[in-house]
Amino acid sequence: NAGVTQTPKFQVLKTGQSMTLQCAQDMNHNSMYWYRQDPGMGLRLIYYSASEGTTDKGEVPNGYNVSRLNKREFSLRLESAAPSQTSVYFCASSDRGQGYGYTFGSGTRLTVV
Amino acid sequence: DQQVKQNSPSLSVQEGRISILNCDYTNSMFDYFLWYKKYPAEGPTFLISISSIKDKNEDGRFTVFLNKSAKHLSLHIVPSQPGDSAVYFCAATDDYKLSFGAGTTVTVRA
């Protein structure tokens, strides 16, 4: 099915460990995003990539890095995980030519202990 | 500081009745507004949107109203159905990045 695929779906890390969250879309969208969802906070933008070859910080970028590997793939890396990064992470993509609607992946639930 | 606010964390409504969800925003540059629906263990899905040049947009049982002077929008669901039980997020943008509210959990009672 066409859409946004995120891996893994669940992950438990120890404080200080690193990991990369993977995201791929097959809709030929130009823009991709990483959000985190926390109770009472809604969805907050971590990083985004307006087009292949560009990345920019969002609202809460500290502790994260991203790579826009190609037009399809946009990964999020935690270099040294902290308990404050326990959250549900969503990747999304969009194409301005198709309006402002995003297509979201199903999320990665990350727990840092 | 959140630019999009949903002040009601939850809403319970009887099946067949109207659900009204509210959203306020602070950024006067926002010119496009959206509502997303989210079920547990799934990503949010687009529901309905409205441009700042309009004050109402309808799509089936869903209607979004925009009051620019009050910086307020609302989502009406009529009639509410059990499948409408979900978290609803309000979102806004002035370019292509969306700012989201905290969400309202809607429970439709039989």
Side-chain angles (χ1 to χ4, degrees), chain A residues 2-113:
Chain A
V4 178
T5 302
Q6 290 184 236
T7 55
K9 293 191 181 301
F10 302 93
Q11 184 71 50
V12 178
L13 289 178
K14 294 182 178 178
T15 297
Q17 286 185 318
S18 63
M19 80 161 295
T20 300
L21 281 63
Q22 306 288 351
C23 175
Q25 53 94 6
D26 58 6
M27 297 169 288
N28 203 36
H29 285 170
N30 287 315
S31 303
M32 298 185 73
Y33 315 84
W34 278 104
Y35 283 84
R36 59 178 289 174
Q37 183 195 2
D38 301 292
M41 302 294 289
L43 293 156
R44 292 182 293 169
L45 183 63
I46 305 171
Y47 270 93
Y48 65 99
S49 171
S51 60
E52 185 179 357
T54 69
T55 60
D56 285 288
K57 296 179 180 179
E59 183 184 353
V60 288
N62 291 343
Y64 305 96
N65 283 301
V66 290
S67 295
R68 183 74 183 266
L69 304 170
N70 47 56
K71 190 171 186 179
R72 290 186 63 246
E73 298 173 286
F74 188 38
S75 62
L76 178 71
R77 182 160 179 84
L78 287 70
E79 291 290 352
S80 179
S84 61
Q85 294 178 305
T86 293
S87 187
V88 181
Y89 292 85
F90 289 100
C91 177
S93 69
S94 71
D95 190 328
R96 296 187 73 178
Q98 298 176 14
Y100 293 91
Y102 287 8
T103 301
F104 282 87
S106 59
T108 296
R109 183 174 293 276
L110 175 67
T111 302
V112 183
V113 298

Side-chain angles (χ1 to χ4, degrees), chain A residues 31 33 35 37-38 40-45 48-50 56-57 59 88 90 94 96 99-107 109, chain B residues 1-3 6 31-34 36 38-39 41-46 49 87 89 93-103:
Chain A
S31 303
Y33 315 84
Y35 283 84
Q37 183 195 2
D38 301 292
M41 302 294 289
L43 293 156
R44 292 182 293 169
L45 183 63
Y48 65 99
S49 171
D56 285 288
K57 296 179 180 179
E59 183 184 353
V88 181
F90 289 100
S94 71
R96 296 187 73 178
Y100 293 91
Y102 287 8
T103 301
F104 282 87
S106 59
R109 183 174 293 276
Chain B
D1 187 31
Q2 279 193 305
Q3 300 183 75
Q6 294 176 255
D31 60 1
Y32 202 81
F33 305 88
L34 307 91
Y36 280 79
K38 184 184 179 307
Y39 292 118
E42 295 184 8
T45 55
F46 171 74
S49 63
V87 178
F89 291 101
T93 183
D94 61 348
D95 51 14
Y96 55 92
K97 302 188 300 296
L98 295 181
S99 296
F100 286 86

Side-chain angles (χ1 to χ4, degrees), chain B residues 2-45:
Chain B
Q2 279 193 305
Q3 300 183 75
V4 179
K5 298 181 182 179
Q6 294 176 255
N7 293 319
S8 297
S10 62
L11 172 69
S12 180
V13 63
Q14 193 165 12
E15 182 178 0
R17 299 291 188 102
I18 184 171
S19 294
I20 300 176
L21 290 75
N22 293 303
C23 177
D24 297 296
Y25 61 96
T26 58
N27 187 342
S28 58
M29 297 300 292
F30 286 150
D31 60 1
Y32 202 81
F33 305 88
L34 307 91
W35 286 92
Y36 280 79
K37 179 179 180 178
K38 184 184 179 307
Y39 292 118
E42 295 184 8
T45 55

